[in-house]
């Protein structure tokens, strides 16, 4: 698995996940429980992970839809 995206905004993560699912790219959100424990104040970012072989295609989907990867 390779990190595609890191964000403290749950709406960005939900949108990114929906876009990836629409392109048949499997993804997994990490650190969700940590962000819940913080009480929703946005300190701990969530990470969106994809398979290494899907990374380039997933990054293209993010760029095409205006989601910054922060790299």
């Amino acid at each position: 698995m390779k990190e595609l995206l890191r964000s403290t905004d749950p709406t960005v993560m939900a949108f990114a996940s929906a876009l990836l699912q629409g392109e048949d790219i499997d993804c997994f959100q990490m650190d969700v429980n940590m962000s819940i424990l913080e009480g929703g104040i946005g300190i701990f970012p969530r990470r969106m992970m994809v398979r290494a072989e899907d990374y380039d295609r997933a990054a293209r989907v993010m760029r095409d839809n205006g989601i910054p990867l922060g790299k």
Side-chain angles (χ1 to χ4, degrees):
M1 301 285 295
K2 190 170 179 179
E3 182 180 324
L4 173 68
L5 175 65
R6 186 181 294 223
S7 178
T8 57
D9 187 346
T11 59
V12 168
M13 298 303 280
F15 182 49
S17 181
L19 288 170
L20 292 172
Q21 288 175 1
E23 296 290 328
D24 291 325
I25 299 172
D26 291 327
C27 62
F28 180 76
Q29 287 189 39
M30 295 182 72
D31 306 320
V32 174
N33 293 331
M34 282 302 295
S35 64
I36 290 170
L37 289 174
E38 72 174 6
I41 58 176
I43 294 174
F44 298 111
R46 296 179 185 185
R47 294 177 290 161
M48 178 76 65
M49 308 296 283
V50 297
R51 291 185 182 136
E53 58 268 15
D54 292 334
Y55 180 82
D56 291 333
R57 195 165 57 116
R60 190 173 329 114
V61 170
M62 295 298 107
R63 282 192 303 272
D64 290 349
N65 288 281
I67 299 176
L69 297 179
K71 300 189 185 229

